[in-house]
Amino acid sequence: MKIQNGYVHLVKTALSDFRRNKVRTILTSLGIMIGVYSVVLLIALGLGLKNYIEGQFNSMGANLIMILPGSGFTGEGGAGFGGQGTVGGVSFDERDLNTLERISEIDYIVPIVMKGASIEGDSDKKFGYVMGINDDAFKLMNVEMEYGTEFTKTDIQAATKVSVIGYTLAEKLYGNPSDALGKTVRVNDQRFKIVGVAKKKGDQQADGALYVPFRTTYASINPDKKFWAIYLGIKSDDILPTVKAKAEEALLKRYKADDFAVTEQSELLNSINQIFGIINMVLIAIGSISLLVGGVGIMNIMYATVTERTKEIGIRRAVGATQNDILQQFLTESLMLSIFGGILGLLFASLSVFAIRTFFPASVNLLAVLVSFIVPSAIGVFFGVFPARRAAKLSPIEAIRYE
Amino acid sequence: MISLQNVSKIYSLGEDIVNAVVDINLEIKEKEFIGILGSSGSGKSTLMHIIGLLELPTSGKIILDGKDISKLTDAELSKIRNKTVGFVFQSFNLINRFTVLENVLLPTKYSKERTPQDFTEKAMELLKRFGILERRNFYPNKISGGQQQRVAIARALIMNPKIILADEPTGNLDSKTGDEILDILKNLNKEFGVTVILVTHEHDIAAKTKRQIYIKDGKVVEKYL
C-alpha cells in the first residue's frame, strides 16, 4: 500500500510536469520516438523479407532437392531461379536425367532450362522467362491451371510446340489472360501454341514465365541441349538425406565435386535468411544510433529540469524526502519520457507497416514490441540516472534557498 | 527533548572560513514556545537548520529524545524530519504546481506508514481550522501571503510533529496577518503542546514567546543588544 502510494505520487508528479511543459515533453520524446520507429520498421521489413522469401520457396513445393551447377547458391540474384545465382560449374544434360532415374526413391525428375527472353504475342513483345521443363514440373512446383490444360508426357516426348503461360505475362501480352488460350507466341523464331494459362502465384518470375516442353527448346532457344538445373521430387523428407547422397554419388562419376551442388530447400533458405539476418542487424544497429541521440536529449532536459526544480527538491527534502526518494522521482520522469517516446514510435511504425502491407508482407512481431519498451526503458534509466543523482545529492539548505 | 552540546558549524566560502555557529549549548524542553532572536547574519538560521536536521554540525552533539542524531544516515534523518519536525519558512516554500491540498499532503508521500485516506481527512480538518478549506483546490500563487503561510503551517502539522520550526514566519506578511500567524503558532503550543521554535530578528515578535534566546556572531549571548 505504502509503495503504491509512493509510486502513484511519483507518476503524478511527472505527469504534472509534462502537462506544464507539453512542447518540451514532446520534443524530448521525439528523439526516442524516431529511434524506436526506425528500429521497429527495420525489424518489420526484415521480417517481411523473410516471409516473402519463405513464401517463394513454399510456392515451389515441398520435398524438393535441387541439383545446381557450381557450389550452389551464392546469395546473389533470385531464389532458386535465375542463372545469376550460381557460379561456375557445369550444365547438365539428358545423360544426367538417365543416371538419376536409376535412383528408385525419386518420384519426379524435372530438368530446368531457364532463359530470359523477349516473348512476342500477336501485337506486343514482353520480357519473360522461358522455362523448359517436363510435365512433372507442374506438380513439383505447384503450378496449377487457371484456363486450359498442362502439357503432357506425350508433348515432352514428341517435343511439340505447346506452352503454358504465366498469368502476369498473359495479362501483359493479351490484356485478358483467358484470351491467351489458343494463341501463338514467338521466342527466338520458335513458335509455341498456348494450351494453358497458369494460376497467379504472386511470384514475379513464375507469373512472368512461359513454360515449354524442355526438348522443344533444343531448336533455337537451347541448341546445346543443356539444363541449368535438375529438380528432384521425393515422397517424404525422411528419405531426403538418402536421396541426396545417392544423387551426389551418381553424379560424381561424371563431374568433379566442385562442379555441382545437391541442395535442399531448407539449406538454401537458411543461407538466405542468414545473409538477410546480418543485413537487417546492421540496419537496426544504424537505426539504434538515433535511440542514443534521443537518450542524450533526455539527459539534457533532465539536467535542465533538475536546475529548474532545485527549490522544490529542497522543500521535499525538508518535509522528509530521502536522497533515494528524489533520485526515484527524476528517474521516473526520464523513464516516462523515454517510454512515452517508445510507445509513439511503436504506434507510428505499426501504422507504417499497416500501410505497406498491401504490397509487402512486413509485420510487427513480439520482438519489435518488446524492443520498443525495453530499449527506451534502459535508455531512460541510463541517461536519467546522472541528472537524478545530481538532484539527490543537492544539499537541502542550498536547494531551498535557490531562487 | 532537544539538547545541543558544544555545537559549531563552520563554512568555507572559497578561502574564507565562516563561523556560523560557535560552541552552542542549548536545551529545549517538550512543549516549549521559544524564540531565537538575532540580527541578520547572526547564525540563527543556521542554528535552526541544525535543530531541524537539515544540516549537520561541524562539531558537537545533538541529542533528540535521548538519541544522538549526529551519526544517522540520510534516510534516518529524513524520517525524523518527516515525522518529528515541521518547518514554516519566511517565504512559505509551497510548490506552485501543486494545489493547496496537495501541498499540505506532500510530507505524507514520504511517510512509510499510514494510508493516504486518513491523511486527506486530516488535511481537510487542518485547512478548515485555518479558514482556508474553500481554497483547497487553488494553486499557491492564487492565494494571499497570509493564506499561503497557513497552508505551510498545515503542511508542517500534517504528520503530527513534536516540533514546529518557524523561520521568520511573519517576515513576508503585513503586521495584522503576521499577528494572526503568530496566534496560530501560539495556539498550537498551548492547545496541542507542540514545541514551537520561532526564529526572528524582531523583538516584539520574540516577546510573544515564553522564552527567548539571543544569538550574536554565532554565539548565545545573555542579552540582545
Side-chain angles (χ1 to χ4, degrees), chain A residues 20-76:
Chain A
R20 280 162 53 95
N21 300 297
K22 287 192 193 81
V23 175
R24 190 172 82 177
T25 303
I26 288 166
L27 286 179
T28 310
S29 309
L30 201 64
I32 297 293
M33 194 203 98
I34 293 169
V36 168
Y37 177 82
S38 51
V39 169
V40 170
L41 204 62
L42 285 167
I43 292 175
L45 291 177
L47 210 65
L49 200 61
K50 203 177 158 196
N51 289 343
Y52 176 75
I53 292 167
E54 272 169 18
Q56 297 282 73
F57 270 83
N58 286 337
S59 77
M60 290 207 314
N63 301 328
L64 181 70
I65 295 174
M66 296 172 225
I67 301 172
L68 300 169
S71 51
F73 187 76
T74 57
E76 307 148 33

Side-chain angles (χ1 to χ4, degrees), chain A residues 83-316:
Chain A
Q84 323 91 292
T86 54
V87 279
V90 294
S91 300
F92 307 103
D93 58 25
E94 287 198 41
R95 240 179 86 189
D96 301 316
L97 295 186
N98 296 333
T99 314
L100 292 165
E101 243 154 44
R102 281 180 224 128
I103 304 171
S104 55
E105 292 94 332
I106 299 176
D107 276 349
Y108 311 119
I109 300 177
V110 176
I112 311 273
V113 174
M114 166 105 176
K115 204 163 179 183
S118 171
I119 297 166
E120 287 174 56
D122 294 343
S123 55
D124 219 353
K125 212 193 273 188
K126 293 284 177 217
F127 179 82
Y129 298 93
V130 177
M131 302 267 295
I133 50 173
N134 63 12
D135 55 309
D136 287 334
F138 296 111
K139 277 172 247 146
L140 192 68
M141 293 159 70
N142 288 338
V143 177
E144 285 170 31
M145 293 306 113
E146 182 78 47
Y147 310 108
T149 55
E150 303 166 1
F151 44 78
T152 62
K153 216 168 251 351
T154 329
D155 291 319
I156 305 294
Q157 275 151 8
T160 35
K161 293 169 181 172
V162 291
S163 68
V164 167
I165 191 165
Y167 195 88
T168 315
L169 185 61
E171 217 169 26
K172 280 188 195 163
L173 286 174
Y174 302 102
N176 193 345
S178 60
D179 292 346
L181 271 189
K183 298 270 167 50
T184 303
V185 285
R186 270 160 44 117
V187 183
N188 264 16
D189 295 327
Q190 278 194 258
R191 291 164 179 277
F192 298 93
K193 188 181 172 201
I194 299 174
V195 295
V197 178
K199 265 190 187 152
K200 196 164 186 146
K201 288 188 77 180
D203 171 338
Q204 224 187 337
Q205 277 178 314
D207 290 338
L210 183 73
Y211 302 97
V212 299
F214 72 93
R215 284 201 179 108
T216 318
T217 66
Y218 290 173
S220 71
I221 297 170
N222 180 23
D224 297 339
K225 303 182 183 177
K226 295 285 190 187
F227 313 138
W228 165 68
I230 300 172
Y231 288 1
L232 308 177
I234 52 173
K235 273 208 187 71
S236 78
D237 48 8
D238 319 337
I239 54 165
L240 202 135
T242 327
V243 178
K244 250 178 86 176
K246 283 191 181 174
E248 245 166 77
E249 198 190 324
L251 290 171
L252 272 174
K253 285 174 190 152
R254 190 172 170 198
Y255 306 113
K256 282 187 287 196
D258 287 348
D259 285 342
F260 71 96
V262 180
T263 54
E264 55 191 285
Q265 272 206 78
S266 63
E267 279 178 58
L268 272 180
L269 202 56
N270 282 344
S271 55
I272 293 168
N273 279 341
Q274 233 172 352
I275 291 157
F276 283 120
I278 291 166
I279 294 171
N280 205 223
M281 285 313 290
V282 170
L283 288 176
I284 289 170
I286 294 168
S288 306
I289 291 172
S290 51
L291 277 173
L292 280 184
V293 174
V296 174
I298 284 184
M299 180 152 76
N300 193 12
I301 284 300
M302 289 314 294
Y303 271 123
T305 307
V306 170
T307 306
E308 187 188 274
R309 271 199 249 148
T310 302
K311 195 179 180 70
E312 181 185 317
I313 294 165
I315 295 169
R316 286 172 183 272

Side-chain angles (χ1 to χ4, degrees), chain A residues 326-391:
Chain A
I326 301 295
L327 186 87
Q328 279 182 25
Q329 186 192 328
F330 284 92
L331 269 188
T332 304
E333 211 155 303
S334 63
L335 200 63
M336 282 175 65
L337 268 179
S338 191
I339 291 178
F340 176 63
I343 291 172
L344 282 184
L346 180 65
L347 194 76
F348 283 114
S350 304
L351 287 177
S352 302
V353 167
F354 188 71
I356 58 176
R357 267 189 88 91
T358 47
F359 53 89
F360 189 75
S363 64
V364 175
N365 62 357
L366 188 66
L367 174 75
V369 175
L370 286 180
V371 161
S372 39
F373 283 94
I374 291 170
V375 172
S377 304
I379 284 175
V381 171
F382 181 79
F383 288 100
V385 85
F386 300 99
R389 274 174 60 105
R390 172 188 280 187

